[in-house]
Amino acid sequence: MERYAGAFEEAVDGTRQQGRHYQLLSALQSLVKELPSSFQQRLSYTTLSDLALALLNGTVFEIVQGLLEIQHLTEKSLYNQRLRLHNEHRVLRQALRQKHQEAQQACRPHNLLVLQAAQQHEQEAVEHRIREEQRAMDQKIVLELDRKVADQQSTLEKAGVAGFYVTTNPQVAESRGPWIPDI
């Protein structure tokens, strides 16, 4: 009798699992309908079904939550680095303005035009350096974000989530999104 009760529970559990799979598949299909048609074409029924199966197991949610936390920490860190650089540049500009004002106040009138020309040249050199530092920082940020995207792709691929693999092809990566969206 116990053997039959166990088999019945397994059948009920299997039916419940199948019902949940269909619910998830239906939800994924609804989400896909909201996408532009070029993206819809890339997501076959099989891929969506495989994604629904992966979602049945709570492990994928835990993985995504972990990746999301890492993503947020990375974004915050990169933002703070860029903000620090911006503040350093602001302080540098203020110090240069102060230095120039003091020099102009101490300057004799007949040397003022020469001093102003030198200061203009110095100002342009500083602005050029600031632009280059900002460009270098922005490139560093983009490379770091690209590395994080590849890490996310790799992690989801290793977890067996359908449709995920490491790529640097922007057209393929764009269709899957550069980051995990907030849940």
Side-chain angles (χ1 to χ4, degrees):
M1 183 73 172
E2 285 181 30
R3 183 169 30 139
Y4 295 118
F8 178 73
E9 284 180 30
E10 283 181 28
V12 168
D13 206 31
T15 303
R16 204 174 304 145
Q17 190 96 343
Q18 187 176 16
R20 181 75 176 128
H21 174 257
Y22 287 132
Q23 276 182 322
L24 290 168
L25 179 58
S26 177
L28 287 171
Q29 287 173 322
S30 294
L31 289 171
V32 167
K33 286 179 185 174
E34 296 174 18
L35 295 173
S37 62
S38 61
F39 295 137
Q40 289 180 25
Q41 295 169 359
R42 296 181 189 180
L43 296 168
S44 69
Y45 178 86
T46 305
T47 301
L48 293 177
S49 180
D50 290 346
L51 283 171
L53 284 173
L55 293 173
L56 281 175
N57 175 339
T59 306
V60 173
F61 285 111
E62 291 174 22
I63 291 169
V64 169
Q65 190 60 41
L67 291 173
L68 191 57
E69 288 174 20
I70 292 168
Q71 175 182 323
H72 286 161
L73 290 172
T74 300
E75 289 170 345
K76 186 176 182 177
S77 172
L78 293 171
Y79 174 78
N80 286 333
Q81 287 176 34
R82 194 169 195 282
L83 191 59
R84 271 193 303 277
L85 182 65
H86 178 75
N87 286 334
E88 288 172 14
H89 291 160
R90 186 179 47 78
V91 168
L92 177 63
R93 284 181 177 117
Q94 285 176 339
L96 187 61
R97 268 194 302 273
Q98 182 68 28
K99 176 185 153 192
H100 287 180
Q101 285 176 350
E102 289 171 2
Q104 286 178 12
Q105 289 172 352
C107 182
R108 296 180 189 225
H110 64 279
N111 290 333
L112 188 57
L113 289 177
V114 174
L115 176 65
Q116 287 175 335
Q119 288 178 339
Q120 180 66 29
H121 180 72
E122 183 181 21
Q123 180 70 34
E124 289 170 2
V126 166
E127 289 300 325
H128 177 73
R129 187 182 108 207
I130 286 172
R131 279 192 306 277
E132 288 301 310
E133 287 178 2
Q134 194 69 56
R135 188 181 60 73
M137 172 62 78
D138 291 344
Q139 284 179 334
K140 175 188 167 212
I141 288 171
V142 168
L143 289 173
E144 180 64 23
L145 293 175
D146 284 348
R147 276 194 291 276
K148 290 299 175 187
V149 169
D151 289 347
Q152 288 178 343
Q153 292 169 342
S154 174
T155 300
L156 292 169
E157 177 185 28
K158 288 175 185 171
V161 178
F164 278 89
Y165 55 91
V166 178
T167 182
T168 56
N169 180 339
Q171 290 176 331
V172 173
E174 179 183 285
S175 70
R176 288 183 283 144
W179 283 105
I180 294 175
D182 288 333
I183 298 173

